[in-house]
């Protein structure tokens, strides 16, 4: 009977119902999308580094494993010393350039020969390797998202680059320029930001890392496996704080809308609450009825939010193919739980207030 | 025989800011089980306050009030709510049906709140007696005032309350519907020995009762 009354109440005010459901759906969608985008960005970035094919990453002391954040170059001569270490099959230096005009892009300055040795070489969708100092290679996702064609000029870092080739994605960055050009542009002659080290066999990784530690004691040396495990928002304090803030904002929005919705509802239904009280409805009965209504709104909102998020993901990826959004059942569950709890807490005070209404005052409410 | 309602020196004072407004100034009233009592008096004489106290909707300031052997003075809000759920039925001047529910649901919710579940036999009997079978699937906005009041009476008596408290039940009805409602109250009283306490301004309505009590300035002035 209470369920029927709750259902009738929800249908009686379609606009209020729609707004409440929308708020919960936005809350759920916001949590899922923000987390999905963050983890998607990290996972995709990690996969691209894994895709280089190296077994060990060597970075200067104090460098961040989040490549875009530091450029701290090292002398390129180190590459020769790394190559002399037993079981090392190849060393590819790269200099990072972070481009912020027309979007955020990490550009690898690479030495094509050594990079090909470590990676096994690019797969070209069209065009070919660098021919001139100001040539650039772009991956297929970037080319698709920006409608880039071979021979076209692109402007990066205040320089114009000719697109020499479009390559298969998944080898570190989306954009590659010659190492020498990157060094000249950043004034870091004979320097590199990272060395990708390939072992003759992946089973020698630990042995090679030990040798590199002896050679470069203060340097940051990570196996690619270790790097992959570090690439999560939990290891990036700023990212974690960002996620926490975004989730909190989403929960507060859902909480406030449900609070306001139920508060308005009980004001509007004061007389009806008085009627229920005159029939002998207990405080618990009234609280339960209001919480059920909020709960039902939240459930519908959660379902709409989850469905909407999957739809939004499709739309976003169609518009921005270089983005990666990892939606997981786990986070759908967490977002649903947050929305449910937020909604019920939001409805609790109005429910309590309704239960405490004086029946005589409530019955005379106009 | 023990009276079903007994009040002695019943007082109720409302506080409006710093001002104290006495609504009942010492009401002594005895109502026997099965009696149909009409309380009449001018506006502001305390009739509705008396009804609210007898129905457990509000507590008195002082005095004694025994309803079906229960002393309201010693009962807390939860106890009075429980008492109201099982022993009292209300009929209001403005019908007070839940607007989102059908007539059937408006009646059934009283049974649901009482907690004894839906009793189809009792439901059918009440619906037939009040002549609302055709309107059971209608919502209040689709019913006339008279029909709404009959549904309200059905809701009030569906749980077989000891006392039916009616607050100006014909106040919003035309003459014809007023007569129908009064006849129904009379029939309930006669057929089921339903104790009824009805507040009214209308002398014709009061005339259907067994006994008429007049109030003025918060006191019973004639019985």
């Amino acid at each position: 009977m209470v369920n029927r009354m709750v259902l009738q109440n929800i249908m009686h005010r379609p606009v209020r119902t729609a707004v409440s459901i929308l708020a919960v759906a936005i809350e759920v969608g916001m949590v899922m999308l923000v987390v999905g985008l963050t983890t998607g960005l990290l996972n995709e970035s990690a996969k691209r580094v894994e895709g280089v094919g190296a077994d060990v990453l060597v970075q200067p002391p104090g460098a961040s494993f989040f490549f875009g954040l530091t450029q701290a170059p090292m002398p390129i001569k180190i590459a020769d010393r790394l190559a002399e270490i037993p079981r090392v099959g190849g060393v590819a230096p790269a200099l990072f350039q972070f481009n912020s005009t027309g979007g955020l892009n990490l550009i690898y300055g690479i030495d094509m020969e050594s990079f090909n040795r470590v990676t096994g070489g690019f797969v070209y969708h069209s065009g070919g390797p660098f021919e001139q100092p100001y040539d650039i290679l772009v991956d297929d996702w970037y080319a698709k998202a920006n409608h880039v064609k071979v021979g076209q000029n692109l402007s990066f870092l205040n320089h114009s680059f000719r697109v020499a080739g479009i390559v298969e994605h998944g080898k570190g960055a989306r954009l590659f320029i010659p190492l020498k050009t990157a060094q000249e542009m950043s004034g870091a002659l004979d320097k590199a930001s990272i060395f990708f080290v390939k072992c003759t066999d992946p089973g020698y990784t630990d042995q090679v890392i030990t040798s590199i530690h002896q050679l470069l004691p203060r340097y940051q040396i990570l196996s690619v496996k270790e790097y992959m495990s570090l690439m999560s928002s939990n290891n990036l304090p700023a990212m974690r704080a960002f996620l926490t803030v975004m989730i909190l904002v989403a929960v507060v929005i859902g909480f406030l809308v449900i609070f306001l919705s139920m508060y308005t509802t009980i004001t509007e239904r004061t007389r009806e609450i008085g009627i229920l009280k005159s029939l002998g409805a207990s405080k618990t009965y009234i609280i339960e009825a209001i919480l059920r209504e909020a709960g039902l709104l939240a459930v519908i909102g959660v379902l709409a939010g989850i469905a909407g998020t999957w739809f939004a993901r499709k739309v976003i990826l169609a518009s921005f193919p270089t983005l990666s959004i990892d939606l997981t059942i786990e986070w759908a569950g967490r977002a649903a739980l947050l929305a449910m709890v937020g909604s019920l807490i939001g409805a609790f005070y109005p429910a309590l207030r309704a239960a405490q209404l004086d029946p005589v005052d409530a019955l005379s409410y106009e | 025989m023990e009276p079903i309602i007994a009040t002695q020196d019943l007082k109720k004072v409302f506080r409006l800011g710093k001002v104290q407004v006495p609504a009942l100034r010492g009401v002594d009233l005895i109502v026997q089980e099965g009696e149909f009592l009409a309380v009449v008096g001018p506006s502001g004489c305390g009739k509705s306050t008396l009804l609210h106290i007898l129905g457990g909707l509000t507590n008195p300031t002082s005095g004694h009030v025994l309803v079906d052997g229960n002393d309201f003075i010693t009962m807390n809000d939860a106890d009075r709510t429980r008492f109201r759920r099982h022993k009292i039925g209300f009929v209001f001047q403005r019908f007070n049906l839940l607007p989102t529910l059908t007539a059937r649901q408006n009646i059934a919710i009283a049974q649901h709140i009482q907690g004894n579940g839906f009793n189809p036999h009792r439901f059918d009997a009440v619906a037939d007696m009040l002549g609302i079978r055709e309107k059971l699937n209608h919502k209040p906005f689709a019913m006339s005032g008279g029909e709404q009041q009959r549904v309200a009476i059905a809701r009030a008596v569906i749980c077989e309350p000891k006392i039916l408290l009616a607050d100006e039940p014909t106040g919003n009805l035309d003459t014809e519907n007023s007569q129908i409602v009064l006849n129904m109250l009379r029939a309930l009283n006669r057929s089921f020995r339903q104790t009824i306490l009805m507040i009214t301004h209308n002398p014709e309505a009061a005339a259907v009762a067994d006994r008429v009590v007049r109030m003025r300035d918060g006191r019973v002035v004639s019985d």
Side-chain angles (χ1 to χ4, degrees):
Chain A
M1 193 60 190
V2 178
N3 289 341
R4 205 169 295 166
M5 185 169 67
V6 164
L7 203 62
Q8 296 286 359
N9 285 342
I10 282 179
M11 293 191 310
H12 190 62
R13 285 275 176 267
V15 174
R16 179 192 72 96
T17 301
V19 169
S20 303
I21 289 171
L22 188 66
V24 176
I26 288 172
E27 174 186 353
V28 170
M30 201 167 153
V31 170
M32 287 179 69
L33 278 179
V34 168
V35 173
L37 269 165
T38 310
T39 46
L41 169 79
L42 291 174
N43 288 344
E44 201 271 331
S45 171
K47 272 184 200 160
R48 273 192 278 131
V49 170
E50 188 185 31
V52 168
D55 299 305
V56 181
L57 308 174
V58 179
Q59 288 180 275
S64 166
F65 57 85
F66 201 59
F67 290 168
L69 299 180
T70 51
Q71 294 178 345
M74 307 171 279
I76 203 155
K77 286 183 293 184
I78 291 173
D80 298 335
R81 295 167 68 189
L82 290 171
E84 288 166 8
I85 292 174
R87 317 288 187 199
V88 169
V91 179
L95 185 68
F96 300 143
Q97 291 286 330
F98 200 64
N99 173 63
S100 58
T101 47
L104 298 176
N105 296 295
L106 181 64
I107 304 172
Y108 278 15
I110 55 166
D111 167 54
M112 188 62 87
E113 190 188 331
S114 61
F115 198 75
N116 281 347
R117 205 177 306 133
V118 170
T119 62
F122 286 113
V123 175
Y124 290 90
H125 284 221
S126 58
F130 307 131
E131 291 170 1
Q132 300 160 22
Y134 284 88
D135 274 358
I136 189 166
L137 299 180
V138 302
D139 79 359
D140 53 339
W141 285 17
Y142 184 92
K144 188 183 169 194
N146 296 283
H147 311 291
V148 173
K149 296 213 163 28
V150 170
Q152 182 182 337
N153 282 326
L154 296 175
S155 186
F156 287 112
L157 308 162
N158 299 322
H159 288 83
S160 179
F161 287 87
R162 183 188 73 94
V163 177
I166 294 171
V167 298
E168 178 76 25
H169 64 273
K171 289 214 185 320
R174 297 202 182 285
L175 304 165
F176 304 88
I177 58 176
L179 180 61
K180 287 256 183 253
T181 309
Q183 288 170 336
E184 281 169 17
M185 284 167 59
S186 59
L189 292 174
D190 299 325
K191 304 278 185 185
S193 309
I194 194 169
F195 293 107
F196 293 103
V197 179
K198 189 173 180 68
C199 301
T200 50
D201 185 289
Y204 295 127
T205 303
D206 290 343
Q207 195 181 324
V208 168
I209 287 175
T210 308
S211 301
I212 299 174
H213 269 302
Q214 285 167 355
L215 182 69
L216 306 164
R218 288 169 41 245
Y219 280 57
Q220 191 164 294
I221 299 140
L222 287 173
S223 70
V224 169
K225 274 186 186 166
E226 201 179 345
Y227 168 82
M228 296 291 286
S229 69
L230 285 172
M231 282 296 275
S232 86
S233 58
N234 289 335
N235 293 316
L236 294 163
M239 194 75 92
R240 201 171 56 220
F242 168 75
L243 274 182
T244 307
V245 168
M246 292 308 284
I247 290 169
L248 268 176
V249 167
V251 171
V252 167
I253 289 173
F255 166 84
L256 285 179
V257 173
I258 291 290
F259 174 84
L260 201 63
S261 167
M262 298 317 290
Y263 196 86
T264 316
T265 297
I266 68 127
T267 307
E268 190 185 60
R269 296 203 197 124
T270 298
R271 194 179 181 84
E272 293 168 42
I273 291 159
I275 295 168
L276 290 175
K277 283 182 166 249
S278 76
L279 295 172
S282 63
K283 289 181 178 176
T284 315
Y285 188 95
I286 289 165
I287 289 174
E288 192 188 324
I290 291 171
L291 290 186
R292 276 194 202 195
E293 189 168 331
L296 182 59
L297 289 173
V299 166
I300 301 171
V302 163
L303 295 176
I306 292 173
T309 305
W310 252 276
F311 177 73
R313 179 178 181 270
K314 276 187 184 288
V315 173
I316 292 170
L317 293 185
S319 311
F320 306 97
T322 55
L323 283 179
S324 183
I325 305 172
D326 285 357
L327 298 181
T328 62
I329 299 292
E330 183 198 346
W331 268 99
R334 285 188 193 189
L337 190 68
L338 282 170
M340 289 300 298
V341 172
S343 300
L344 291 178
I345 293 174
F348 190 71
Y349 173 71
L352 204 62
R353 199 166 163 269
Q356 285 170 342
L357 282 173
D358 180 85
V360 176
D361 290 344
L363 282 167
S364 57
Y365 187 82
E366 294 295 337
Chain B
M1 195 171 72
E2 194 73 1
I4 195 159
I5 297 172
T7 71
Q8 190 184 355
D9 197 23
L10 187 65
K11 290 179 181 168
K12 177 71 180 178
V13 179
F14 291 107
R15 288 176 197 281
L16 299 174
K18 289 182 179 175
V19 182
Q20 294 198 337
V21 182
L24 298 180
R25 298 164 189 253
V27 172
D28 298 315
L29 182 70
I30 300 286
V31 181
Q32 298 297 338
E33 188 162 7
E35 206 174 357
F36 188 165
L37 178 79
V39 179
V40 296
S43 293
C45 72
K47 304 186 299 287
S48 292
T49 304
L50 176 66
L51 188 105
H52 293 153
I53 290 175
L54 295 178
L57 289 176
T58 188
N59 53 342
T61 307
S62 65
H64 294 283
V65 53
L66 278 172
V67 182
D68 197 30
N70 295 275
D71 186 356
F72 277 7
I73 292 288
T74 61
M75 290 165 77
N76 61 23
D77 184 48
D79 291 336
R80 279 188 279 118
T81 300
R82 203 172 301 117
F83 176 85
R84 192 161 64 240
R85 190 184 308 153
H86 296 285
K87 303 281 177 78
I88 303 288
F90 277 104
V91 176
F92 299 97
Q93 179 178 353
R94 289 169 57 180
F95 324 131
N96 279 347
L97 298 177
L98 294 167
T100 55
L101 300 184
T102 62
R104 182 190 301 280
Q105 291 163 344
N106 262 290
I107 299 166
I109 200 165
Q111 288 183 316
H112 183 260
I113 288 171
Q114 198 195 35
N116 289 343
F118 182 69
N119 179 342
H121 302 300
R122 172 74 182 166
F123 188 95
D124 288 344
V126 169
D128 286 340
M129 188 184 77
L130 293 167
I132 52 173
R133 190 166 276 284
E134 302 298 313
K135 297 287 175 180
L136 286 176
N137 293 324
H138 291 212
K139 287 192 175 173
F141 65 83
M143 290 188 280
S144 70
E147 288 163 346
Q148 287 189 58
Q149 194 61 300
R150 278 186 275 159
V151 172
I153 294 170
R155 182 182 64 185
V157 299
I158 192 74
C159 296
E160 301 180 61
K162 281 272 187 181
I163 304 163
L164 180 63
L165 300 174
D167 188 356
E168 301 271 10
T170 59
N172 271 6
L173 301 177
D174 58 26
T175 313
E176 188 187 345
N177 277 306
S178 292
Q179 201 52 53
I180 293 170
V181 165
L182 289 170
N183 290 343
M184 281 172 177
L185 292 176
R186 182 77 261 181
L188 276 169
N189 173 252
R190 292 232 169 107
S191 309
F192 303 105
R193 288 199 73 238
Q194 174 71 61
T195 307
I196 301 176
L197 192 150
M198 176 177 72
I199 287 173
T200 184
H201 275 108
N202 182 354
E204 289 172 20
V208 301
D210 299 328
R211 185 177 139 212
V212 177
V213 166
R214 288 178 202 287
M215 285 186 72
R216 182 179 289 273
D217 299 330
R219 292 190 182 88
V220 173
V221 291
S222 76
D223 191 349

